[in-house]
Each structure stands twice: as structure tokens, then as C-alpha cells.
Amino acid sequence: MIKKTLSFLHFFILSLCLSAQTISITTDHTQLVLKVSSQKRLYQAYLGQRLTDRTDLSLLSMPQAGMGSSMARGLETYPVMGTEDYYEPAFEIRHADGNPTSFLKYQQHSTDGDLTSIRLHDEVYPVEVTLYYKVYPREDIIQQWAEIRHDEKGKVWIGRYASSMLYFEAPDYYLTEFGSEWAKEMQMQTEQLRFGKKVVDSRLGTRANMMAQPFFEVGLGSPAREDEGTVLMGTLGWTGNFRFTFEVDHQNILRVVSGINPDASIYQLERGETFRTADFYFTLSADGTGEGSRRFQRWMLNHQLRRGDDARLTLLNNWENTYFSFDEEKLVALFGEAKDLGVDLFLLDDGWFGNKYPRRNDQAGLGDWEVTHEKLPRGIPYLVSEAEKQGVGFGIWIEPEMVNPKSELAEKHPDWILRLPSRDTYYFRHQLVLDLCNPKVQDYVFGVVDNLMQENPSIRFMKWDCNSPITNIYSPYLKDRQGNLYVDYVRGLYSVLERVREKYPDLYLMMCSGGGGRSDVRGLNYFTEFWCSDNTDPVERLFIQWGYSQFLPAKAMCAHVTDWNRSSSIKFRVDVAFQGKLGFDIGLKGLSDDDRAYCRQAIKEYKRLENVVWAPNLYRLVSPYESQHCVVQRVTDDKAHSLLFAYDIHPRYGERLMNTRLRGLDPDALYRVREVCLMPGRQSRLACHDKSYTGDYLMKVGLKVLSSGQLVSHIIELEKV
Ligand code: DGJ
């Protein structure tokens, strides 16, 4: 009898599973399976390596409310606050009548090519949430977002609106986060996640990533490792406040909730308006973070980064060389230096604008984007033409979202500034943030770019800076909808950037934010590159670049040679910057003849090798976090060309130096190995220089590229013969 009942139960459960609506979202290597329960709730049934046999999908069980738990709950795809799930929800709503719950039931779904959408709705209230999943099969990236709308008569507020909720079941979980501060961006830190919550977020509004960057890695079963183990790597495409919540529940299930940070952002949603969340992107690698990084870099280049398939411009910047103190004569002389160096472009930094309140320092002038006549009497057109006469392109710095109280703009339009009524104003770098929620302000900000381009159509490059977080959270424009501020600000910014991208498709744009305060992948859909950090000390940069390289491609990472850490040789500084998008911000006159000659040669070599430097196939071979060395390798897609960057930082006395085993090569091919970028008159001391090896040997035995010297670097080229 018992046997009979059990087999009936088994049959019943199996047929329930089979009859359930199953939605499968797949890339080449990853699969996410969702199932609809008999109560029309949507659950995650599987997230892992792609299953080879489609019929296996019917075997996946569907955890659902009331089953196998002392608490009625399941792994619901978009759980709502106020329902039977007591852990971190994805969604929270207050209906017009004050009811704070919603039960989202499956209504329909469709798949169109790479995009799957699933419509959920509340059967009692006219509220609809559509979940979107876009797959990039070859790059193994999944993009997720949600759209929320309602048709209620009164006011509706949404208090949480995640882009994604994912569940994992592993013995343990290890989070790697990327903490930041000015001059110390992308510092990697790993900890075990235990019962309860860990939140990584930003509340800065603008310059949003100054203290935490919107990237994470979760090692499932072991800390994330470079070449082995299963790791989830995720990032949010949002140039504003973000929040990742990692919560381990009483059954040791991990939920990862990603989205815009809803703190101080209870959004008032109008009837018929669609609220689109930010985009969350993730990859699930079974071969460690190295594989995940290659996927993300390839995806960025193929799909996300503005002008991802294009070349970049090398440049000479004047910021650290002159700061605010320059005039026409000085600048024209610098154009000559740029020409002599062989870079494509001269970039004029902060300090060129303002007349009533000239920008002599960072205390005045922001907002008045008119050239300072006293300093630059012949204006920007003269500078552009002088640079071009010398065969150098011209680029210019702007910070259009900001205003100094000492400016004509602040005097004329006090209502365009984010500022709290009846409170003392708080300043960050003596400046305030403009109210980009206001369409008039959006027009003005667009005008900053547009006016410069109208006057100087041949400007090739702009550095768009953003040196302050949002300080006084009140928008005069939004009036009684202040909860919308942080979100609408970013949307206002995007609407400006879209206009810029459309009108000036050839303009290269650097996203800068007081160093690396902006680095998100949505921003990089409008910008061709970003400024990683004001810290250009090459030792620190090895760590900073190691961090960004987890997700972002080399051609997007601006790396300038400067005077930071003058105890390191110019070669070491250049060789570190060579790994990113190379530029200079240094007084070349102060360099020795040999150093200048080295820089010139490095620029030439960089241009010759840029396609290898920028290839998404990155192998991080020796970590500066684990040793006093750093070695990284790039390989072209056809495996014909590779570069090895080797750095000795501060090796210990008597350290045993190991061979470095290369990766990603063709084992059967023969490669000629040559050290390039040598100081004038120097010969390579590497034993492997000018020799040939099989890919097999290079990957199994490796090369001696490390030394016990301090701050020593080598750039080694490998070419298939
Ligand atoms: C901060 C940036 O990070 C610097 O490179 C420089 O452009 C300054 N702002 C100018 O004020």
C-alpha cells in the first residue's frame, strides 16, 4: 500500500514537473531554467553549465511554496516584499490604496532570437512586471532587466526594483568585491559569505563608484581562482547608485540581488509610465575568473563599448604638467612636444574657461564654458589650428554636469542646481551638481559639447569629468517627487549622452570622474574609454589595472605615464601604461635624452602592437596580490601573435624565481620570442630573447622572465613563425 502511494506520488510529481511551463535561457556554456508552478508563480529551477540533453529539463525539480521547507517559500524569480518569502525581495510596491504587497503571476512569455521576455502580473491590481533575458551566446553573457508598469488611478510607489535575482546552492560562497577610494580604485578583497547579508553598494549619485565599483565575483565552493573553479561574475550597467545584495539563507542557499540602489529612491510611478530597471550582466564560468574576464572583455568589444572595434588615439595631456597655469605660448610649445613624441593628440585639461570668474583653481568658473580671454585671447579655434599645423589632433576637458557657486551660471540659474531648501549647502571640491532631471538643464549640458563642436568641428576627443558626488539631494524640478531624483538624474545624463553619440559619432570621449569614480559598462556604451585612477604610480597601477581587467578591455582603460613614483624608471612607468590605452601626462623636457627616446620608441611599438595589447584574450599569469611580481599575457584570436608583460616589483632577497608558463597558444606552432621596447643602446638580457619555442614548450615549461631586480619590466613579443 505504502509502495503504491509512493509510486503514485512519484508519478504525480513527475507529471506536475513535465506539465509545468519551462523557460530555458542558454548561452554556449550556461543555462538558466525557469518553471511556472501550478499557482502560476515563476521559479528558478536551474542555473549552471548548459545541459546537453533537452529532455533532462523535465527532470529538474521546481522548488515552490510550501515544499521541503519549514517556511513556505521557493526560489522565486522576482519575489515581492510582503509575500511568504522573508528574505531580500526583488520588488516592493505600494499600491494606490496603500496595500504593500503584490503576487506576481505568470501571464505569458516569448522568445525572439536572443531575447526572452516573461510577463508577470498581479491578478488583483493592474500592475505588470516584464522580465527580460538577453543572451550573448558566444560570449556566454546574460543580460537581465525588468520593466514595471501599472494602470492604477492613484499614486503608486516602487521601493525596490531589482534587475536580477539569482540563486545558487554550493557548499560555501566567497565574494570578491572591488573596493575603492580616490587614488586606490579597484582593490580586490575576498571573504566568505555566511548566513545573513552582505551588501555592496553606492549612494553617491554621481561619481558613484568612488568608494565601491559595480563589479563582483562569487566563487561557488571555493574562492574565485584564476584558472579553475566555478565563479559568477556580475556587473550593473548604471552610471549611478547600485546595490548588490548577497544573502545566504537558513538552508545555505545564496541569493544574489542586483540593481539600482533603492535607498532614498522610492520611485513615484505614474499611471501608464514604464519603469525600466538598469541592466545586469553576468557570466558563470566553470574555469575561473580568467575565462570570465575573457568573456566580458570580448562582449565589451563586440557589443557594448562605444567604438569597440575601432582604434584609439594616443595622447599627451597637460594636467599634471601645468595644472591651471598655462597660456597660449605654453600650450603651443606642448603641441610641439606631442608631435615630437609621436602621439595622435594633445588633450587640454581643466582651466581654460570662465571670464567673470576665471578658472584659476578649482574654486570658480565651472559652468561658464567660455574660453578665458585673458589667458587664451585667440580662443579654442586658434589652439585647434596650431595643434593641427603640427600634425597633432586636439582634445579638450569639460565637466558639464557641475557648477561652482562662483560662476555666472549659478548667478543666472540658481534653480538649475541640486540644493536643499532651508539647509546649509554642502560642497564637495567647492562645487555643486546641476539638476539633470530638468530637461532645460539637459539641453544646457548637451550645449556644452555642441557649442564646442560647432565652433571647432575638428575636435577629436573630449575628457568628460565629474568630480563630485550628489551632495544636496533636492531637485527644484522634481518638486514632490524627490524619491525619483537619483534615478531621473542618471536618465537625464543618458538622454544627453545619447544626443552626443548621435550627433558626434566620431568623437572619442573619455569618462573621467576624479580618477575612476565612473567605470560602469553602460557609461562605456557612450564613452570610448575611461580614466582608471589619478594614481599613476606604476606599482599601484599594476593592482588597479589587474582589478579593472577582470571585466573591462585594455583599449578602454586610459593609462598615462606621469611623474608619480619618480623612483621608478621611465621604462617601468611606460611598460605598465603600455598594457592599457597609452598616454602621457608629463613634462618631456625634464626627461633625459634616453628617456625621451624610449618614450618615442614605445609609442611606435604600441601602434605596431596595439591589436595584440587590445585583444580580449587575457591571461593573468602571476598576480601582484600573491607575489612581488606581475605577469600578464595577451594573445590574438588566431593565436599567431602574443605579448607578455613581466614586472618585478620588490622581490625578496634570495627568492626562488620560477618559470612563467604561458597560455592560450597553439601547442603545435613555433613561436619566435623577442624582447621589445629596450632602452636605447641596451641588449636584452633574457635568455629566451631571439629564440624559437613551440607553443607546447611555452605552455608546459615556460620562460624565465622574472628577476630579483626592483621595479624591472620586460615586454616580450611572440610571433608564430
Ligand atoms: C580630476 C581628473 O581625474 C584629473 O585627471 C583632472 O582632469 C582633474 N580632475 C581636473 O580638475
Side-chain angles (χ1 to χ4, degrees), residues 319 324 349-350 359 397 429 463 465 467 512 514-515 531 534:
W319 174 241
F324 295 97
D349 216 286
D350 196 354
R359 180 86 170 159
W397 178 97
R429 208 198 191 204
K463 175 178 179 183
D465 210 341
N467 282 294
C512 172
W531 184 227
D534 279 343

Side-chain angles (χ1 to χ4, degrees), residues 523-542:
L524 285 169
N525 199 234
Y526 301 108
F527 290 86
T528 50
E529 50 223 85
F530 75 104
W531 184 227
C532 303
S533 175
D534 279 343
N535 191 339
T536 42
D537 173 335
V539 174
E540 295 304 324
R541 272 290 176 132
L542 286 177

Side-chain angles (χ1 to χ4, degrees), residues 5 31 121 141 153 380 414 431:
T5 320
Q31 187 153 25
H121 72 148
I141 301 280
K153 290 203 181 76
I380 300 300
Q431 64 196 56

Side-chain angles (χ1 to χ4, degrees), residues 339-599:
K339 164 82 181 153
D340 177 50
L341 191 59
V343 290
D344 301 305
L345 187 94
F346 175 82
L347 169 61
L348 173 61
D349 216 286
D350 196 354
W352 58 268
F353 49 89
N355 283 299
K356 184 170 174 190
Y357 302 103
R359 180 86 170 159
R360 293 198 185 99
N361 51 41
D362 61 10
Q363 296 179 23
L366 271 185
D368 301 344
W369 299 102
E370 185 185 52
V371 75
T372 311
H373 304 308
E374 211 180 35
K375 200 171 187 175
L376 303 169
R378 284 171 280 191
I380 300 300
Y382 170 75
L383 297 176
V384 177
S385 90
E386 283 303 301
E388 286 173 354
K389 261 191 222 159
Q390 307 218 38
V392 175
F394 188 83
I396 195 160
W397 178 97
I398 51 174
E399 191 177 1
E401 298 158 74
M402 303 283 160
V403 61
N404 283 125
K406 264 196 188 169
S407 68
E408 291 183 73
L409 181 73
E411 288 172 353
K412 219 162 123 199
H413 293 291
D415 56 323
W416 282 10
I417 300 175
L418 296 178
R419 199 162 19 186
L420 283 155
S422 341
R423 294 229 180 267
D424 288 345
T425 301
Y426 162 54
Y427 299 93
F428 194 104
R429 208 198 191 204
H430 316 283
Q431 64 196 56
L432 294 169
V433 183
L434 291 175
D435 185 1
L436 266 166
C437 307
N438 182 341
K440 281 196 189 131
V441 178
Q442 294 167 18
D443 288 344
Y444 158 84
V445 173
F446 172 71
V448 176
V449 176
D450 199 33
N451 294 340
L452 274 164
M453 291 306 290
Q454 295 290 335
E455 189 191 39
N456 310 281
S458 62
I459 285 182
R460 299 195 67 193
F461 188 97
M462 283 191 194
K463 175 178 179 183
W464 179 307
D465 210 341
C466 167
N467 282 294
S468 171
I470 291 179
T471 41
N472 305 274
I473 46 166
Y474 185 87
S475 155
Y477 175 77
L478 286 176
K479 302 201 169 66
D480 67 339
R481 290 175 295 131
Q482 295 301 320
N484 296 17
L485 195 164
Y486 282 123
V487 172
D488 285 357
Y489 183 95
V490 178
R491 289 181 177 161
L493 174 67
Y494 289 158
S495 95
V496 174
L497 292 171
E498 252 142 49
R499 286 162 75 181
V500 172
R501 184 174 60 188
E502 196 170 321
K503 189 154 180 196
Y504 302 107
D506 296 334
L507 185 64
Y508 287 89
L509 278 170
M510 183 205 285
M511 174 161 72
C512 172
S513 185
R518 277 181 172 169
S519 54
D520 67 287
V521 298
R522 172 77 187 265
L524 285 169
N525 199 234
Y526 301 108
F527 290 86
T528 50
E529 50 223 85
F530 75 104
W531 184 227
C532 303
S533 175
D534 279 343
N535 191 339
T536 42
D537 173 335
V539 174
E540 295 304 324
R541 272 290 176 132
L542 286 177
F543 288 87
I544 292 169
Q545 292 172 185
W546 185 273
Y548 282 122
S549 79
Q550 305 288 319
F551 290 84
L552 302 176
K555 74 162 67 160
M557 287 162 49
C558 296
H560 295 178
V561 178
T562 72
D563 264 342
W564 284 59
N565 193 351
R566 293 172 79 152
S567 63
S568 62
S569 66
I570 203 80
K571 172 169 165 58
F572 191 80
R573 283 180 261 168
V574 172
D575 289 3
V576 172
F578 206 105
Q579 265 192 68
K581 203 222 78 174
L582 183 61
F584 289 78
D585 190 355
I586 192 167
L588 293 158
K589 289 219 172 82
L591 300 183
S592 70
D593 288 350
D594 273 2
D595 282 355
R596 256 200 315 273
Y598 183 77
C599 294

Side-chain angles (χ1 to χ4, degrees), residues 196-220:
K197 270 186 220 174
K198 159 90 190 182
V199 174
V200 178
D201 70 353
S202 162
R203 298 142 178 263
L204 296 160
T206 46
R207 203 174 172 175
N209 309 341
M210 183 166 65
M211 272 129 72
Q213 302 272 341
F215 307 98
F216 69 82
E217 298 171 348
V218 177
L220 303 172

